[in-house]
Amino acid sequence: MTTDFPDGLRAITADPAGAVIGVDFDGTLAPIVPDPADARIHPDGVAVLTRLGRLVGAVAVVTGRPVATAVEYGSLAGIPGVVVLGHYGLERWEADTVTSPPPHPGLDRARADLPRLVEPFDGVVVEDKERALAVHTRRAHDPQGVLAALRDPIAELAVETGLAVEPGKFVLELRPPGMDKGKALGAFLRERGARSVLFAGDDLGDIAAFEAVRTSGLPGVTVFSGSAELEVEADIVVDGPDGVMKLFASIADAIEAGGTDRA
């Protein structure tokens, strides 16, 4: 990461009250781990988000996880200025209050059929997110090969149940259609009257949020929490959650220093 702040970051540090900092959870705030249930926020995450939350207009954690899980695994309760948009924006957590629509009716059918589809593949894990179902192949002997073998059967199941398939790094997720991270972020920016925006993510599902930054008409910056598994075009590339923490801390430093152009 360069020490020179691009225009989007200068806008954030010059007018922090109008800034929205958006961030994914897994792979961005929290390191990727073999078992999704073991994911926890980076050791510096709570302190860094607390600093940012007190300085900017809002910090929006936009994730495919249920909001309750993100709040628990991220130790987010009590951090000022944090809003969690879970299930790609279908759920919302703010000030200890959760709002969400009823679960999609196709989930019960998918929940019943998925074990049959994944049974032939050792190491495949089905994560039940209540409002979505994620099939993880990271622990399989051949994660990429198993992911490819499951792609068509899961796509067929999605058609039969009226769900959408969200691909990611060694994961295929069945979730309700009609919402993605880009739509969730865009709606939040409009709601808050944002004057600048940053979004940091690491996976295919975050590309829609990057596009929402670019089409928002606001000074903005996209941050890719890089890994060896995926390449994504972004304004800034950092080295995983460690790099995200360093960048966020440098933004807080610059705001506290009065909007300097350098970290």
Side-chain angles (χ1 to χ4, degrees):
M1 181 189 71
T2 179
T3 57
D4 292 315
F5 272 21
D7 290 345
L9 284 185
R10 288 200 293 269
I12 289 169
T13 59
D15 178 21
V20 168
I21 304 294
V23 59
D24 172 46
F25 187 77
D26 293 281
T28 308
L29 281 182
I32 294 291
V33 291
D35 186 344
D38 293 333
R40 295 296 183 272
I41 194 169
H42 186 281
D44 297 333
V46 171
V48 170
L49 291 186
T50 297
R51 287 184 69 196
L52 274 181
R54 289 171 174 159
L55 295 168
V56 302
V59 175
V61 179
V62 189
T63 175
R65 287 187 180 268
V67 291
T69 302
V71 171
E72 177 187 353
Y73 291 5
S75 300
L76 301 177
I79 298 179
V82 170
V83 177
V84 181
L85 306 177
H87 284 306
Y88 299 87
L90 286 174
E91 284 189 331
R92 177 170 177 151
W93 175 93
E94 184 174 7
D96 292 327
T97 299
V98 176
T99 55
S100 61
H104 190 283
L107 285 168
D108 285 340
R109 161 79 184 279
R111 190 173 283 116
D113 286 2
L114 269 181
R116 172 182 55 81
L117 295 182
V118 305
E119 185 179 10
F121 304 101
D122 291 337
V124 174
V125 175
V126 177
E127 179 188 8
D128 193 331
K129 299 182 176 183
E130 298 180 9
R131 296 176 184 273
L133 299 160
V135 178
H136 298 270
T137 68
R138 185 176 294 275
R139 298 168 71 178
H141 177 69
D142 177 11
Q144 194 62 49
V146 172
L147 191 74
L150 285 170
R151 189 170 284 116
D152 285 348
I154 288 178
E156 292 173 7
L157 181 60
V159 171
E160 294 170 1
T161 56
L163 297 169
V165 179
E166 181 71 38
K169 292 184 292 189
F170 304 126
V171 62
L172 295 167
E173 183 168 315
L174 286 164
R175 62 179 180 84
M179 180 59 77
D180 60 35
K181 291 186 180 183
K183 293 176 182 175
L185 180 62
F188 189 76
L189 294 176
R190 293 188 293 272
E191 171 197 317
R192 292 301 175 102
R195 296 186 290 273
S196 61
V197 57
L198 175 151
F199 188 83
D202 79 307
D203 208 343
L204 295 175
D206 299 310
I207 294 175
F210 286 176
E211 186 62 20
V213 171
R214 298 181 183 118
T215 60
S216 66
L218 304 172
V221 60
T222 54
V223 179
F224 179 55
S225 178
S227 72
E229 298 167 352
L230 186 66
E231 291 185 6
V232 171
E233 183 180 349
D235 298 317
I236 298 175
V237 177
V238 298
D239 186 16
D242 284 340
V244 172
M245 293 301 110
K246 291 175 183 176
L247 175 63
F248 283 4
S250 73
I251 294 171
D253 289 343
I255 293 171
E256 291 170 347
T260 181
D261 285 355
R262 300 180 69 85

